[in-house]
Amino acid sequence: MNRINEEAENKPQLKLEFEIKEKDFNVAGEAASKVKKTLQQLGLTPEAVRNIAIVIYEAVMNVVIHATCGQLKVIIIPERVTVLTEDKGIGISNIELAMKEGYSTATHEIREMGFGAGMGLPNIKQCSHKLNIKSQVGVGTVLEAIIYLPSKDEKG
Amino acid sequence: MTLGELVNLLDFETLTGEVNLDKEVKSGYVSDLLSDVIANIDEGSVWITIQRHINILGVAKLKDIIAIVIPRKLELEQEVIERAKSEKIAILRDFRPAFEISGLIFNALKRG
Ligand SMILES: Nc1ncnc2c1ncn2[C@@H]1O[C@H](COP(=O)(O)OP(=O)(O)OP(=O)(O)O)[C@@H](O)[C@H]1O
Ligand SMILES: [Mg+2]
């Protein structure tokens, strides 16, 4: 799949990458906590850290549950953080429908584990400033969420 | 009210020993849908749920949840308890159903 252009930019950046393996239900929590720690050390506001962690958790969980495998990249530059997941999987045929709160194609087993409320993508939207999803049925999905960071003097 | 005070008051079973007993409990939430918890639980909360697979710890960590409260004396795997200890998330358990537990915790927190 074509990558969304973020990486091409020539700015100082910190990039964290995680492999999302098939049926790895732990990677979402692990990646979210690791990034959370890094962002706290970088001095981001608690609100930004919280939102970014939620976006990571929900996006990675979606790869594990709905796709096969993929990658997570978190790109941090002074003005914003980009969360990018790219997966190989069944893809999403109707993105607008997928974004609807309560819409889920999760199986019975997955629902028994407490997933499948159809709230993951709405949560991501709520916690980010920009959300971009590109998907090809039978190939995979790319999700890019951007969280803008308040500049140092806005933090108060 | 600290988690320890809440545990004493309501006589909850503590599966993770001393973990977080000194922490202040600010609020609570009841839900078995993980994305719902992620969207709606406040920080510093106790979370009442019948979910017991290891993923509840990921959610708890993500949202800085102090304790997970398991109703109806449901069984937990030792692996989950051990991991909770190392991740500093308390797991409490009680014989009462979620409805009663949430009522009791709600009142206890309201009284302060
Ligand atoms: N990476 C993905 N690959 C394929 N389908 C996806 C992917 N992400 C989301 N979807 C589709 O979009 C639907 C809605 O996703 P959303 O995260 O909102 O809910 P959910 O994952 O089903 O439940 P929840 O996130 O509440 O546990 C999913 O049920 C699935 O059909
Ligand atoms: Mg989801």
Side-chain angles (χ1 to χ4, degrees):
Chain A
M1 298 222 82
N2 278 337
R3 210 163 267 166
I4 309 170
N5 57 27
E6 184 70 40
E7 289 173 282
E9 282 186 42
N10 229 345
K11 285 185 179 165
Q13 59 175 38
L14 182 63
K15 198 156 91 182
L16 303 168
E17 294 185 45
F18 300 84
E19 210 52 50
I20 308 167
K21 300 206 183 83
E22 194 168 354
K23 299 204 172 69
D24 184 353
F25 281 86
N26 292 323
V27 66
E30 284 164 10
S33 330
K34 274 200 191 125
V35 175
K36 203 168 154 180
K37 245 179 236 152
T38 305
L39 298 178
Q40 279 164 348
Q41 280 161 5
L42 288 172
L44 267 70
T45 63
E47 197 198 349
V49 174
R50 203 154 50 228
N51 286 337
I52 293 160
I54 291 174
V55 170
I56 291 170
Y57 185 88
E58 295 286 11
V60 172
M61 220 59 235
N62 277 354
V63 174
V64 174
I65 288 173
H66 306 292
T68 314
C69 58
Q71 260 187 324
L72 163 73
K73 286 186 193 145
V74 182
I75 302 151
I76 305 153
I77 65 169
E79 308 90 65
R80 63 172 183 269
V81 173
T82 304
V83 177
L84 185 72
T85 57
E86 295 179 85
D87 69 56
K88 292 199 184 86
I90 56 165
I92 307 173
S93 56
N94 186 338
I95 291 171
E96 201 184 327
L97 184 62
M99 290 296 306
K100 278 223 172 87
E101 191 164 326
Y103 176 82
S104 175
T105 58
T107 61
H108 181 70
E109 288 74 36
I110 290 290
R111 282 172 204 260
E112 291 231 298
M113 292 172 76
F115 301 103
M119 289 181 69
L121 290 176
N123 278 358
I124 294 173
K125 195 171 169 75
Q126 178 80 38
C127 291
S128 58
H129 298 107
K130 257 192 201 161
L131 173 59
N132 209 328
I133 301 171
K134 287 186 184 151
S135 191
Q136 217 174 315
V137 174
V139 180
T141 303
V142 179
L143 177 147
E144 182 194 50
I146 297 174
I147 296 93
Y148 292 105
L149 305 173
S151 65
K152 289 267 186 278
D153 28 286
E154 274 175 80
K155 267 184 207 169
Chain B
M1 173 176 295
T2 65
L3 187 64
E5 288 166 342
L6 192 70
V7 164
N8 285 337
L9 183 70
L10 302 176
D11 210 14
F12 291 149
E13 203 183 328
T14 51
L15 303 183
T16 44
E18 297 289 305
V19 171
N20 287 351
L21 292 183
D22 56 335
K23 291 260 171 73
E24 195 70 22
V25 179
K26 299 197 187 102
S27 183
Y29 199 70
V30 199
S31 179
D32 299 321
L33 297 172
L34 306 188
S35 288
D36 174 45
V37 176
I38 289 168
N40 296 308
I41 199 166
D42 294 327
E43 261 161 59
S45 286
V46 293
W47 170 27
I48 303 164
T49 182
I50 60 167
Q51 297 295 352
R52 282 151 292 145
H53 56 86
I54 202 117
N55 260 82
I56 57 176
L57 301 179
V59 173
K61 223 172 152 194
L62 184 66
K63 299 295 292 188
D64 298 316
I65 289 166
I66 292 173
I68 298 168
V69 188
I70 306 293
R72 292 196 280 113
K73 222 168 168 25
L74 295 167
E75 292 289 331
L76 269 100
E77 278 175 27
Q78 199 55 37
E79 186 199 347
V80 176
I81 296 171
E82 290 311 319
R83 177 87 79 88
K85 280 185 198 160
S86 66
E87 308 248 337
K88 296 273 178 284
I89 298 155
I91 300 185
L92 311 176
R93 189 164 65 172
D94 194 52
F95 62 91
R96 289 162 283 214
F99 177 67
E100 279 182 52
I101 295 171
S102 51
L104 291 166
I105 294 179
F106 181 84
N107 281 324
L109 293 181
K110 209 167 71 174
R111 277 198 304 270

